Amino acid sequence: MDRTEATRTVDPITLSVVRGILETTQREMTLSLEKTARSSVFNLAHDYSTALFNAEPEMILQGQDIPIHLGSLIPAMKVVAGYFEGDINEGDLILHNDPAYGGSHAIDVCIYKPVFYHGELVYWTVCKGHLTDIGGPVPAGYNPDAKEIYAECLRIPPVKIWDRGKPRRDVLNMILTNMRARRDQEGDFNALIGACQVGERALIRMLDKYAKEEVDACIGELLNMAERQMRSLIAEVPDGTYEGVAVLEDAGHGFGDFDIKATVTIEGDDCRIAISSPPQVPYFINSYEGNSYSGVYLGLMMFAQLPPPYNEGLYRCVSVDMGPKGTLCNAREPAPHMNCTTTPMETLTDAVRLAFEKAMPSKVAASWGHANGLNIAGWDKRHDEEYVTMVLATIISGAGATPQQDGWHACGPECCFGALTSGDIELLEHSYPIIIHKYSLMTDSGGAGLHRGGSGTAWEVEPLDGDMTFIMFGEGRRIPALGAAGATSTMIDTKVGRLELKRDGNTETIRNNTIGVIKPGETVTNMNPGGGGYGDPKKRPVDKVVQDVKLGLVSIKGAREDYGVVIADAETLKVDLDATRKLRAA
């Protein structure tokens, strides 16, 4: 009996109720993380994800969280379950962050809790979160000078931190002792553990009420529903082989630009995705296989735009070949990797999406802005302790435009796809000894098009009472977000990421990943790219361009150079229609 046949008799009302319980369980887990976590990365930016797995283990529900986490959870869960096969017990908690064991990047720490019912392993509750530090020589983990993974982080292969309900205090102490700002890390660890326990309680209550056999049938049908939806979409794509190539720019490492290619082969309702990337480099942009699954799946889902349920059934008809080991998208030890969840993942995502859009141009959309971020660290004299954090507000970029509308502002980066939040400025200033002078949209940052790309953001910070280390990571500082359907921009520099360092009355623009120090009275401003535009910018209605100028999204210069709209009066924004017609015609 095939999988579809096995679940045809599921009562639709019960199915709907079980589905609702699973979704509510996942939301309760994320709310628990938000309300109990210590660091701003968790409780303000929400850089965490949750998922539920069955005993197979198959992902039966993914949260609508961070795409860079969710795709890699599928191979990581299988590695962890396989590692402890025969030694998985009620009350265990397993910790893991190592990319060589299916993880994404090492600062994304994952906790897995096996759920038992009447002595039988039935589910796993899983939480992954970006800690503010993971040990190593550089605060916050991102070390642009690392030549190998050992110079980046504390690697944690699958290890039990609770054994049969008893915390392993020795193991936890060893791990936390190797991390900066221990109070934050310990608080976030406890939040991850608590969220897994919240999920466990809800799942057991569900089984008590509906019985395991009925719930299993419902979960089987939810997996089949997702599979049917994906197969139906793939069947609409014409059979053939399609290639997408995206360029990963040199972010100061000296290796030059790299091409990442995705080859998509469609046969009926089956899909094969093959990734081709250059050899790995001694720089922190290598992606291990588990992380690369996140990039491939995000590119697929950006194209597919399918409704829920979101679970592993989506990928039953999709096979992925990451290419040989030792390449940029299928790295092997000891490749450094910490920047991989943004670079090269966003380029990998673009390549996959471009390949699918060649197959079905009607679903084309522009790329989102890539991540160009900033971490900060120093000494907090108020509490006489070290502070360190990844400022997620610094990677908030613009979303890409679509055939129907302009891109959303301050919604990216592409790797997080709208799931990150900036947090209140006042809470960040309360948490760390800093003052934030600016957090704003940037004029002329959205890609030009019939539909304009969303605007990127500028975030300016000054330390209050001591030196502050800043660490730059990411890219998108020379090549803007890809437009679609003929969208091109004339003004490029305003649409890419960069950092402005102001000291002694001078301003220095930095475009390389680097580590620096500033003092009180000095500032750094991190500037993020906007999203790509859609369609010919010369066809954007003149009144919309004028409205963009009025709102500060486009400058008078940008209106002329990017859109061919000549504004004759800066105060009234009156348009010279004759000059505009001639410029657009030219």
Side-chain angles (χ1 to χ4, degrees):
M1 183 182 295
D2 64 26
R3 287 181 289 217
T4 302
E5 184 71 25
T7 55
R8 282 180 180 167
T9 59
V10 171
D11 173 69
I13 302 300
T14 305
L15 177 65
S16 181
V17 171
V18 169
R19 177 177 175 176
I21 292 172
L22 294 173
E23 292 171 349
T24 301
T25 298
Q26 181 272 323
R27 285 195 294 270
E28 287 178 348
M29 292 167 68
T30 59
L31 285 172
S32 297
L33 282 168
E34 177 187 3
K35 302 302 182 185
T36 61
R38 179 85 194 180
S39 74
S40 63
V41 172
F42 275 38
N43 58 36
L44 294 182
H46 304 158
D47 193 356
Y48 50 69
S49 298
T50 60
L52 304 175
F53 286 79
N54 59 20
E56 292 296 328
E58 290 178 295
M59 182 187 280
I60 59 176
L61 181 75
Q62 69 176 44
Q64 295 186 38
D65 297 319
I66 309 291
I68 52 174
H69 295 163
L70 294 167
S72 64
L73 279 179
I74 294 174
M77 178 75 259
K78 291 172 172 51
V79 169
V80 168
Y83 185 86
F84 283 103
E85 187 174 5
D87 188 24
I88 300 170
N89 308 296
E90 192 164 358
D92 286 353
L93 275 168
I94 299 169
L95 180 69
H96 161 251
N97 80 342
D98 196 336
Y101 286 82
S104 49
H105 65 167
I107 206 159
D108 283 341
V109 172
C110 198
I111 290 183
Y112 308 79
K113 184 166 191 10
V115 178
F116 283 77
Y117 189 67
H118 298 317
E120 178 188 0
L121 175 64
V122 287
Y123 304 118
W124 294 81
T125 58
V126 182
C127 293
K128 175 181 275 192
H130 184 118
L131 297 186
T132 57
D133 191 75
I134 196 62
V138 174
Y142 288 77
N143 182 6
D145 296 326
K147 301 296 188 294
E148 56 183 10
I149 193 172
Y150 307 109
E152 295 184 295
C153 58
L154 175 66
R155 295 175 62 184
I156 308 170
V159 62
K160 290 187 181 182
I161 56 172
W162 282 30
D163 191 355
R164 301 175 190 267
K166 184 178 180 180
R168 293 286 308 275
R169 293 178 59 248
D170 55 344
V171 175
L172 283 166
N173 184 56
M174 184 276 293
I175 293 170
L176 292 168
T177 298
N178 280 278
M179 297 179 182
R180 299 170 182 83
R182 175 171 177 152
R183 192 160 55 110
D184 279 0
Q185 316 315 326
E186 192 163 11
D188 288 352
F189 262 47
N190 289 334
L192 290 165
I193 292 169
C196 285
Q197 292 170 329
V198 165
E200 177 187 41
R201 289 198 296 267
L203 293 173
I204 289 174
R205 286 196 301 266
M206 175 182 66
L207 293 174
D208 285 340
K209 185 168 185 178
Y210 292 99
K212 181 177 179 298
E213 294 74 15
E214 187 72 15
V215 171
D216 283 349
C218 291
I219 289 173
E221 175 57 17
L222 292 172
L223 288 163
N224 290 342
M225 285 174 61
E227 179 182 3
R228 288 194 297 268
Q229 289 185 158
M230 182 62 81
R231 285 192 181 278
S232 178
L233 172 72
I234 297 299
E236 294 177 10
V237 180
D239 283 2
T241 299
Y242 309 92
E243 290 185 353
V245 178
V247 178
L248 174 61
E249 70 181 33
D250 188 327
H253 47 76
F255 294 102
D257 296 343
F258 293 126
D259 285 349
I260 295 178
K261 181 171 74 173
T263 302
V264 173
T265 301
I266 305 295
E267 293 182 358
D269 61 359
D270 284 308
C271 170
R272 298 193 304 275
I273 303 173
I275 303 302
S276 175
S277 60
Q280 66 190 45
V281 293
Y283 188 64
F284 67 171
I285 61 170
N286 302 290
S287 178
Y288 287 76
E289 186 175 19
N291 181 71
S292 293
Y293 273 100
S294 292
V296 170
Y297 289 159
L298 176 57
L300 169 61
M301 292 303 289
M302 285 179 72
F303 164 78
Q305 302 171 40
L306 293 173
Y310 301 129
N311 57 47
E312 198 167 334
L314 290 166
Y315 311 117
R316 285 174 174 169
C317 61
V318 180
S319 62
V320 181
D321 177 3
M322 293 297 179
K325 287 288 185 183
T327 51
L328 202 67
C329 293
N330 194 3
R332 62 183 171 197
E333 300 170 274
H337 76 299
M338 195 63 77
N339 201 175
C340 68
T341 53
T342 61
T343 311
M345 181 188 144
E346 290 168 322
T347 307
L348 174 59
T349 295
D350 281 340
V352 173
R353 181 178 52 80
L354 289 170
F356 276 104
E357 289 173 355
K358 283 186 178 178
M360 290 188 72
S362 61
K363 294 177 73 71
V364 68
S367 175
W368 291 36
H370 289 195
N372 165 58
L374 193 71
N375 296 331
I376 61 173
W379 194 263
D380 191 339
K381 296 179 181 178
R382 301 169 302 174
H383 306 294
D384 195 30
E385 65 182 9
E386 188 172 16
Y387 72 89
V388 56
T389 190
M390 180 183 186
V391 184
L392 274 304
T394 68
I395 66 171
I396 301 294
S397 58
T402 73
Q404 293 79 32
Q405 64 181 39
D406 294 343
W408 296 315
H409 305 308
C411 198
E414 183 163 284
C415 62
C416 298
F417 217 61
L420 283 182
T421 57
S422 301
D424 294 333
I425 293 297
E426 294 80 7
L427 288 176
L428 282 171
E429 291 178 329
H430 173 75
S431 300
Y432 310 106
I434 59 175
I435 181 168
I436 300 169
H437 291 292
K438 179 196 297 182
Y439 186 46
S440 64
L441 300 179
M442 295 196 303
T443 303
D444 291 325
S445 58
L450 169 65
H451 299 301
R452 176 193 26 75
S455 292
T457 58
W459 191 86
E460 182 177 2
V461 65
E462 175 190 349
L464 281 179
D465 56 5
D467 291 358
M468 183 187 80
T469 299
F470 66 88
I471 304 102
M472 289 181 65
F473 65 92
E475 43 114 23
R477 304 188 188 114
R478 181 169 55 83
I479 301 174
L482 295 174
T488 57
S489 298
T490 301
M491 295 175 62
I492 300 299
D493 196 58
T494 58
K495 295 172 177 59
V496 295
R498 61 230 184 251
L499 183 137
E500 290 185 350
L501 171 60
K502 298 177 183 177
R503 55 163 53 118
D504 301 326
N506 299 313
T507 300
E508 176 187 0
T509 299
I510 302 174
R511 299 183 188 273
N512 297 341
N513 292 321
T514 188
I515 303 172
V517 177
I518 60 171
K519 305 177 183 296
E522 302 171 347
T523 66
V524 288
T525 305
N526 196 79
M527 309 173 84
N528 255 288
Y534 179 93
D536 184 355
K538 300 301 190 295
K539 294 181 180 179
R540 184 168 177 82
V542 171
D543 61 327
K544 285 193 173 184
V545 176
V546 173
Q547 180 68 5
D548 285 344
V549 173
K550 183 177 181 180
L551 294 174
L553 301 173
V554 175
S555 66
I556 290 177
K557 179 182 178 183
R560 182 186 184 100
E561 294 193 14
D562 275 341
Y563 295 95
V565 174
V566 181
I567 295 177
D569 190 309
E571 292 187 7
T572 65
L573 301 184
K574 182 179 179 181
V575 175
D576 185 331
L577 293 177
D578 286 339
T580 295
R581 279 192 290 268
K582 291 178 182 178
L583 186 58
R584 287 189 154 192

